[in-house]
Structures are given as C-alpha cells and as structure tokens.
C-alpha cells in the first residue's frame, strides 16, 4: 500500500507541476486567480488531513478501488467535456 500511495503522489505531483507551469505561461493563472485561490487553502489542508485520517480506518483495498473509480470518472468527465466543446 505504501508503494501505491507513493506512486499516486508522484503522478499528482508531476501532473500538477506541469499544469501550474503551462497555466502560468498561457495566462490562465494570474494574480487575480491566485487571490481567489488563497482563501481555499485551509479547506484543501482540511481535506488532506481527513484523507490521511481516513486511510487509518478504511481498508487499503477499498481505498485503491475508490481512487481508481474516481480517476476513471474524472477522466471520463474531461473527455466528455472536451468532446462537447469540439462538437459545438
């Protein structure tokens, strides 16, 4: 379970680092956007804390399945949204 968590963390770290760089270069992230995001940091930290605490209660196999299901659905939503933009 530790290697799964480490691999997942690495994937998210690399993906989000690349997104931050690309979004900054393309102008999507601006000072205004950062100003809107800063008040959300406490909620992000709360979610992180609750996620860490939940792994002590929920079985690792269930967590793996939940993560895979959520990744699948988030990917499907992204594909559907991008296809709808291309079609219309």
């Amino acid at each position: 379970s530790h290697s799964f968590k480490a691999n997942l963390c690495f994937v998210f770290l690399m993906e989000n680092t690349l997104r931050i760089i690309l979004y900054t270069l393309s102008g999507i992230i601006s000072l205004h956007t950062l100003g809107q995001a800063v008040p959300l940091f406490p909620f992000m930290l709360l979610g992180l804390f609750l996620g860490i605490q939940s792994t002590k209660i929920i079985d690792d196999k269930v967590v793996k399945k939940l993560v895979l299901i959520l990744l699948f659905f988030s990917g499907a939503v992204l594909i559907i949204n991008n296809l709808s933009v291309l079609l219309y």
Side-chain angles (χ1 to χ4, degrees):
S1 81
H2 293 291
S3 63
F4 176 75
K5 291 175 188 174
N7 287 334
L8 196 59
C9 286
F10 184 75
V11 167
F12 284 127
L13 175 68
M14 295 308 295
E15 176 189 8
N16 289 322
T17 301
L18 182 63
R19 282 182 190 222
I20 288 171
I21 292 168
L22 291 175
Y23 288 177
T24 303
L25 291 175
S26 67
I28 295 173
I29 296 178
S30 64
L31 289 177
H32 177 71
T33 309
L34 287 176
Q36 290 179 325
V38 168
L40 299 174
F41 281 170
F43 299 101
M44 177 196 64
L45 293 175
L46 176 65
L48 177 65
F49 174 76
L50 291 174
I52 291 170
Q53 295 304 314
S54 69
T55 61
K56 296 176 183 176
I57 299 168
I58 302 173
D59 184 38
D60 284 344
K61 290 182 181 181
V62 174
V63 172
K64 284 182 187 180
K65 287 180 183 177
L66 285 173
V67 168
L68 289 174
I69 290 169
L70 290 173
L71 286 172
F72 173 78
F73 281 120
S74 67
V77 168
L78 286 172
I79 290 170
I80 291 168
N81 285 340
N82 287 322
L83 285 177
S84 67
V85 168
L86 290 174
L87 295 176
Y88 298 107

